[in-house]
Amino acid sequence: MITFDEKTGIFHLQNDAISYVFQLVRGRYLLHRYWGRRIRHFDNARTFLPLDRANAPQPAAWENERTFSLDVLPQEYPDCGHGDFRIPAFGVRLPDGTTVTELFYDHHTITSGKPALAGLPAAYAQAEEAETLILTLQDSAGKLSAELQYTIFRDLPIVTRAVRFTNSGKEALELTQAASCCVTFPDHAFDRLVLYGGHAAERSLEREPLGRGVTEMSSRRGMSSHQTSPFLALARPETTEQQGEVYGVNLVWSGDFALRTEVEQFGTTRIVAGLGDFEFDWHLAPGETFQTPEAWLCYSATGLNGMSQAFHRLIREHLVRGKYQRALRPILVNNWEATYFAFDEAKIDNLAACAADLGLEMLVLDDGWFGHRNDDNTSLGDWQVNLAKLPHGLAGVAESAHKRGLKFGLWFEPEMISVDSELYRAHPDWALQVRDYPNSFSRHQLVLDLTRPEVRDYIVESVCAVLRSAPIDYVKWDFNRSLTEAHSLTLPPERQGETRTRFILGTYDVMERITSAFPDILFESCAGGGGRFDAGMFYYMPQAWCSDDTDAVQRQRIQSGTSLVYPPIAMGAHVSVTPNHQLGRVTPMQTRAFTAMLGCYGYELDITRMSEAEKAEVRKHVALYKRLRPTLQLGKFYRLLTPFAGTGNETAWEFISEDSSEVVLMYFKTLAEPACPIRILRLAGLDPEAGYRVTDYWPAQGLSHDNAGVQHLELKDRTYGGDELLYSGLTVEKVDADFGAWLWVFHKV
Ligand code: GLA
């Protein structure tokens, strides 16, 4: 999979789908040559033209060679200060105040498998599943060295990259920037795709032509954030969901980041992706090392779905660990939108009784069970049950849920501290803070200083004590504010610039210790909804709450955007009440149910107050979900239509089971339209030679006036050719109602 040709200096990382090529020139420089569809041999047909570009500086050793300049060369990991004026991949500050170093190739190793990254989440692989190339670069003045780490997967169109710096000199230095990767393309005929949003509106897709100069998608919130996502793709303008070239970059990191593109003077494009340089200053004493997070580079020749399916497989098969990697996820009811803080033991027990009656599988007790927390002002950090609300403790509610045949789940927010808490009264210095300025609040809470080992130990011990105290099957791990005054009272001045990064490393340490101590517990991460929905989190917790917005229409958008990178099984998605608590929208139960069926399905409303008719509908949806669950959670996922295209009025998703025998198709239409075209859905991924029998058909309620007196299409038990469904398509019935949802199930015959 990885070869090095000594004569040409070509490094070629290759599998059946992709090639990634770069070249060692003049014994020093690593220059990017190609990334894309697989090439058997890279024979330099795409050679560099040695042009004398005016104003382009020469490195000292080639003073008289005016055609050799770093200003134009596509460096694999560029520094600054020697004439490459584009975005650098890293930055340093030396004790004398200067910022110039010079990293040259020294040697490399190629090994099978993929080494872990100490203290960091990263994709993993067995020895036969991947190959790893490590190139060691040395500074010409001996101050610094760097290892460029590349892994190519045998069966995925993905290369991972990361970098490890070592201070190999005699004096301390500061790392002021440390990207995980840099890639150069010879042109800029691309659209740039990013995921943007806000609280309750996470991960919408924006697609715009890539323009000149520098663009940046980044977070400075200390979390991967609701507003941005550590993902960027460049797609050819003609690329669609099913066809065309796309290059996706995704970071395995949960804190601040920056994904930059630069289209420079000659029209080439550079991507630099990794840690941002916002308040980042890593002090590297002699002999110390710094490991960057991992970046994933995915190439697809089969459109955006090809990229998404590769990322989904990477996450499911090479990132998520433990018992729940392949286990089906339970259908839950969460009491948050049902009761908020106003619950007691009887209320929770009633919910459990009703959940069991409806066929649900787990009861989750959300925020408000600890300290004296009856609103969001208090008690974070005091992880002791509130006996006034739950007189028989957590064991009482958990055991009563178990007796009813339900699993039991519990909410925590471990990285936080309320000023009104026993913890803060005992340890006011444990919050992130600066000495001479007051802390800013967000939701009345402060953030614990996870750079401190004693704080991390407290979190691990107090959370583990609760998990040992009752039969708990699931944990929802929340994180409800971003970082401000992000400094530590214990770090020395030269290390204050490390706080934001150390905070995330501390979070990972705590998560690793708690999740590995409870391998049977299913963990779901959350951050005020989907504010930390990133690959870093999925290394520790196999699913995440997608958004605090449970409105079906908004969720179709959020979940479509999220699926660009993350698989359906990673997304927590619940049916909530109408009018919806976030948007006031009234949508049919069927639409709410089908929308939530994209992800780990659940209910988040007071089910005890539903009418008998509603309960009957819920029972039908629950039975349907249980039947389709293996296909929905473990199958291959396709976006056929997304709200980011056209008028945004339609969404269609398709799932194909792992053995290809079952296909689930869903279609959603937001607003009914006059004079609307008839929608025909062309399916994807079917076997054109096979037949597909319709085994379930759930049309949206309400037929068109044009069809008055006409029954719904009789589709059940009809068999259609795979080729017909792929190439000709399936008609969707017209319905005169807003917020419609349709679902079809096919079985291959
Ligand atoms: C966050 C979560 C919600 C809920 C509340 C509880 O906002 O996203 O689902 O758990 O916290 O305070």
Side-chain angles (χ1 to χ4, degrees), residues 71-102:
D71 196 3
V72 299
L73 292 173
Q75 295 197 79
E76 212 32 34
Y77 198 72
D79 60 6
C80 57
H82 301 287
D84 183 334
F85 301 106
R86 292 159 287 179
I87 326 163
F90 71 99
V92 294
R93 195 172 56 250
L94 300 168
D96 65 0
T98 61
T99 56
V100 176
T101 53
E102 198 169 41

Side-chain angles (χ1 to χ4, degrees), residues 336 366-367 411 443 476 478 480 526 528-529 545 548:
W336 180 242
D366 210 278
D367 193 357
W411 180 97
R443 214 188 185 208
K476 176 175 173 187
D478 214 335
N480 273 308
C526 174
W545 181 228
D548 274 349

Side-chain angles (χ1 to χ4, degrees), residues 59-70:
W62 290 283
E63 180 192 346
N64 296 320
E65 199 177 334
R66 292 178 50 160
T67 59
F68 187 77
S69 173
L70 301 183

Side-chain angles (χ1 to χ4, degrees), residues 90-139:
F90 71 99
V92 294
R93 195 172 56 250
L94 300 168
D96 65 0
T98 61
T99 56
V100 176
T101 53
E102 198 169 41
L103 286 179
F104 294 147
Y105 168 86
D106 189 72
H107 63 279
H108 72 270
T109 58
I110 297 173
T111 51
S112 56
K114 181 173 190 297
L117 301 184
L120 280 168
Y124 57 85
Q126 305 298 325
E128 68 285 0
E129 291 174 328
E131 248 173 40
T132 296
L133 164 66
I134 296 182
L135 298 129
T136 303
L137 316 184
Q138 294 288 358
D139 174 47

